[in-house]
Amino acid sequence: MFDHSIHEFFLISGVCFSCSYQQKKKALVTIEGCRMSRPLHRGATGIRISGNSNDLRDSQMKDKTEKENMDRNRSSDQSYLALKFPFRVLFPDNNSPSKYVNCENGFASDPFSVGSPRSRHKLTLLLLKLSLAVIVVLALTGSFWWTISISTLSRGQILHTYRVLQEQLVSDLWDIGELSLGSSRVHELEFCSQESEIYVPCFNASENLALGYSDGSENDRHCGQSSRQSCTVLPPVNYRIPLHWPTGRDIIWVANVRLTAQEVLSSGSLTKRMMMLDEEQISFRSVSPMFDSVEDYSHQIAEMIGLRNESNFVQAGVRTILDIGCGYGSFGAHLFSKQLLTMCIANYEPSGSQVQLTLERGLPAMIGSFTSNQLPYPSLSFDMLHCARCGVDWDQKGGIFLIEADRVLKPGGYFVWTSPLTNARNKENQKSWNFVRDFTENLCWEMLSQQDETVLWKKTSKKSCYGSRKPGAGPSTCSKAHDVESPYYRPLQRCIAGTQSPRWIPIQERTTWPSRSRLNKSELTLYGLHPADFREDAENWKTTLTNYWSVLSPIIFSDHPKRPGEEDPSPPYNMARNVLDMNAHFGGFNSALLEAGKSVWVMNVVPTGGPNYLPLILDRGFVGALHDWCEPFPTYPRSYDLVHAEGLLSLQIRKQRRCTMLDLFTEVDRLLRPEGWVIMRDTAPLVESARRLTTRLKWDARVIEIENNSDDRLLICQKPFLKRQGVSF
């Protein structure tokens, strides 16, 4: 019955296009009969009462006239109705037949009467159609305005807006994640055990042995999920703030490092000599009447190159030096005053560490070895490599360690080796020396000089040398597929790398320091950079650095706790000896510090997930490394005075998240010395999330707005000097 009524309704409305003329006429007669036979129901709900009987008769006459005209116009209106039908129910035509069926007694039966199931069904359908129409209209309108906005906004503005929204979303998700973990995760982090005072994650020999590493690789770097720490590392019980430079470069506090008296007495090699001044201090003597000094040693190397003294290293194209097995950094400490930058690398040591003591002096150092993996430096990175009794057996494993040394050495660069093997008397040592001498010749190294135990080679500056060797003599050059410019702890390779690089430029042909830090147009082309962009970046960092110090100075003088017997440090010279730049870009922050006369060096770290400009940074005469910040950095706790990160949080959220923001900040806390500073610049949502996180690390933190950029904020933090006394484990 219900379906039949609906069919009749469509017949009358003129929208039943498949119905014949006889069906439509029959429907009209049926409805007319309804008018004559329907009884009167006065006062019923949903019934409309007309004014009087005359109105009723007029209405009936009008209905008859409309029915007569309807059949004549049906065929001509059919195509028009076909177009109009989708909107007919939503927007009724005033001239269309009424939806109400009128009986001749003057009453109209309302199909949308509340009491009828049929009426409720039709009302529901109508509301759904109305809702759908509204949604369609809003979608079309939104699409129209979006198209207009796309055409008026620049691509950069659209991407910037998308980035801000993405970062806000990630920031909110981080906050939601922290809250979902309950109150147990909101409290401050606990302190690590006392064994973690000098612990370096990823260097756990016993754990590596259990995982199957052997043949020396158990002492190498192996990172996993267990390498992450969820606690804060406290300094040793009697830890003291390092002395300011230049005094602190040669004198350190005994309590700040793990060192035994026997290790002090046995430090007899040239670059490891030290002596106790008293029970609290250690002095590293670079000049002493008791033995040949480091100054004489470096002077000897200069003469072997053909220079007057070490002050002329710069004129010979030498600026950066990789000191392998650096002792305690005395060689680099002496050359620092000669505008030479020496990066110390040595194996991880649980006690008496060369890297830890070098960093305690404020000098460049990081854990690294030639055991099984390539170093995290690009090919052709350093002007000189130095090994003074460094403990590397260069004759082992078929000379593969010498191949790695060749990879990171620039064309025309120098390799200095001081070892008793060079003056060997027994057959075994002579065999080792002969292997090294022959193998370096096959690497196209030229032996320039040998004095006593020191030998100096120069790497070839001509690629043609490799093709002129005898067939089968020495390792082959790497193919383009295997010549990876910036490997990240890749297994050691047995081919000569760097020959495919456009950066193959002899150090003698490069601009000398300090002009070298300002790369010319042809050099910038090698990295795909336009000179205007490079200059703009440099100018921006000069302005940024000025703003940093203007912000930090009042904070230091108002908040920095004054230690008894010491004056407040005045930036820039005494506040920081070294800086860890976690997202170095082009090395602009490093360059701005040097041009401003700041007496600091910068460890320029290029994250693995971003653009790799580390080759550019090293070619400018700076030092740095490639690193994944979801892994611990290869250095000891309390290594840096200042940690800087610009855009790092934004970079981390764009790549696949393998770690949380808490993991990142816990690692920063491990690397930062007590009373050290953190400067982070990023978008406002991410900085605010980071600020809330610093409370768990017990940092003093504040957010500062940047006037010329409302989207970015500065996060300025200071790590407190927490004592171990009163802490139970």
Side-chain angles (χ1 to χ4, degrees), residues 24-124:
K24 296 175 183 178
K25 184 174 180 181
K26 181 179 179 181
L28 290 174
V29 173
T30 302
I31 300 301
E32 182 67 20
C34 171
R35 289 178 177 155
M36 300 297 296
S37 61
R38 181 168 296 178
L40 181 66
H41 298 281
R42 297 183 181 273
T45 302
I47 303 298
R48 186 179 60 198
I49 303 175
S50 56
N52 51 49
S53 60
N54 292 331
D55 294 338
L56 177 62
R57 284 192 297 271
D58 292 341
S59 176
Q60 291 174 345
M61 293 298 296
K62 184 178 180 181
D63 289 342
K64 289 182 178 181
T65 304
E66 289 177 353
K67 283 186 289 183
E68 292 174 358
N69 295 332
M70 183 175 60
D71 291 338
R72 290 194 299 268
N73 297 332
R74 186 71 63 203
S75 60
S76 61
D77 290 345
Q78 184 167 340
S79 60
Y80 167 75
L81 289 171
L83 297 175
K84 190 175 180 181
F85 173 66
F87 307 100
R88 189 170 186 132
V89 178
L90 300 177
F91 308 104
D93 191 344
N94 293 332
N95 298 324
S96 62
S98 174
K99 297 178 184 178
Y100 303 106
V101 181
N102 299 319
C103 293
E104 68 179 41
N105 55 16
F107 294 94
S109 176
D110 190 353
F112 300 115
S113 173
V114 177
S116 170
R118 169 184 167 189
S119 302
R120 287 197 299 271
H121 181 76
K122 289 187 176 182
L123 178 62
T124 303

Side-chain angles (χ1 to χ4, degrees), residues 458-479:
K458 180 180 179 181
K459 179 178 176 176
T460 184
S461 59
K462 299 179 180 179
K463 298 180 184 179
S464 59
C465 175
Y466 303 111
S468 62
R469 298 174 300 173
K470 295 178 181 180
S476 61
T477 57
C478 296
S479 63

Side-chain angles (χ1 to χ4, degrees), residues 510-564:
R510 290 183 178 272
T511 307
T512 58
W513 181 263
S515 300
R516 178 171 165 181
S517 64
R518 299 179 289 273
L519 300 177
N520 57 42
K521 183 177 180 180
S522 61
E523 290 172 327
L524 290 173
T525 305
L526 300 177
Y527 316 103
L529 291 178
H530 193 276
D533 297 333
F534 189 72
R535 287 194 299 269
E536 182 181 1
D537 181 77
E539 292 300 321
N540 289 339
W541 277 113
K542 289 180 183 178
T543 303
T544 299
L545 180 63
T546 302
N547 295 336
Y548 281 175
W549 293 129
S550 64
V551 168
L552 279 174
S553 296
I555 295 176
I556 293 172
F557 290 126
S558 62
D559 297 345
H560 192 284
K562 181 178 179 180
R563 295 181 293 275

Side-chain angles (χ1 to χ4, degrees), residues 672-689:
L672 192 63
R673 70 163 174 84
E675 297 187 4
W677 295 87
V678 176
I679 303 176
M680 286 195 172
R681 176 173 177 171
D682 224 300
T683 59
L686 293 177
V687 167
E688 185 58 33
S689 295

Side-chain angles (χ1 to χ4, degrees), residues 179-438:
L179 292 174
S180 66
L181 294 174
S183 59
S184 61
R185 288 292 301 272
V186 179
H187 61 70
E188 297 177 345
L189 292 181
E190 297 180 353
F191 297 129
C192 300
S193 63
Q194 190 169 357
E195 289 73 19
S196 299
E197 288 179 357
I198 65 166
Y199 173 65
V200 181
C202 301
F203 292 90
N204 190 325
S206 59
E207 182 177 321
N208 293 337
L209 284 171
L211 294 174
Y213 295 102
S214 59
D215 194 22
S217 62
E218 69 274 8
N219 297 315
D220 212 342
R221 179 180 182 273
H222 301 284
C223 290
Q225 291 292 332
S226 60
S227 301
R228 296 176 183 170
Q229 289 183 304
S230 58
C231 56
T232 56
V233 179
L234 280 178
V237 174
N238 297 319
Y239 180 87
R240 299 179 65 174
I241 300 299
L243 299 172
H244 304 315
W245 271 14
T247 305
R249 195 178 302 162
D250 293 322
I251 299 177
I252 66 171
W253 301 107
V254 177
N256 289 8
V257 295
R258 181 170 294 183
L259 193 67
T260 65
Q262 182 61 34
E263 287 170 327
V264 174
L265 296 174
S266 63
S267 60
S269 64
L270 182 65
T271 58
K272 291 177 65 176
R273 291 178 181 141
M274 58 184 171
M275 62 181 297
M276 301 288 293
L277 288 184
D278 53 36
E279 294 181 356
E280 295 183 341
Q281 292 180 333
I282 298 176
S283 174
F284 301 87
R285 298 290 188 173
S286 59
V287 178
S288 174
M290 294 187 298
F291 41 71
D292 294 335
S293 66
V294 173
E295 182 177 0
D296 292 338
Y297 174 68
S298 58
H299 185 81
Q300 176 190 358
I301 295 174
E303 288 181 337
M304 294 172 70
I305 295 176
L307 306 173
R308 183 175 180 179
N309 54 47
E310 65 271 26
S311 299
N312 300 114
F313 275 141
V314 171
Q315 283 67 36
V318 177
R319 157 65 180 173
T320 57
I321 302 171
L322 182 65
D323 194 2
I324 305 165
C326 57
Y328 299 135
S330 295
F331 183 64
H334 171 69
L335 296 179
F336 193 87
S337 61
K338 310 297 181 184
Q339 295 187 325
L340 299 174
L341 196 56
T342 303
M343 170 61 71
C344 160
I345 63 168
N347 293 329
Y348 169 76
E349 299 167 285
S351 180
S353 167
Q354 303 172 62
V355 171
Q356 186 190 22
L357 270 74
T358 302
L359 286 166
E360 189 63 28
R361 301 174 68 179
L363 298 167
M366 64 181 291
I367 300 173
S369 68
F370 286 82
T371 306
S372 58
N373 294 326
Q374 292 180 320
L375 298 171
Y377 311 124
S379 300
L380 317 179
S381 292
F382 296 94
D383 306 317
M384 177 184 287
L385 269 63
H386 174 256
C387 167
R389 299 178 181 175
C390 60
V392 178
D393 297 325
W394 298 109
D395 61 314
Q396 297 298 308
K397 296 187 178 181
I400 197 170
F401 303 144
L402 285 170
I403 296 176
E404 176 64 5
D406 178 85
R407 184 186 71 84
V408 298
L409 186 61
K410 289 181 180 292
Y414 303 98
F415 183 84
V416 181
W417 185 32
T418 299
S419 171
L421 288 178
T422 59
N423 280 330
R425 295 293 185 265
N426 62 66
K427 290 184 178 180
E428 189 65 29
N429 289 343
Q430 285 180 349
K431 181 180 178 181
S432 298
W433 162 240
N434 290 335
F435 177 88
V436 172
R437 184 181 57 193
D438 295 340

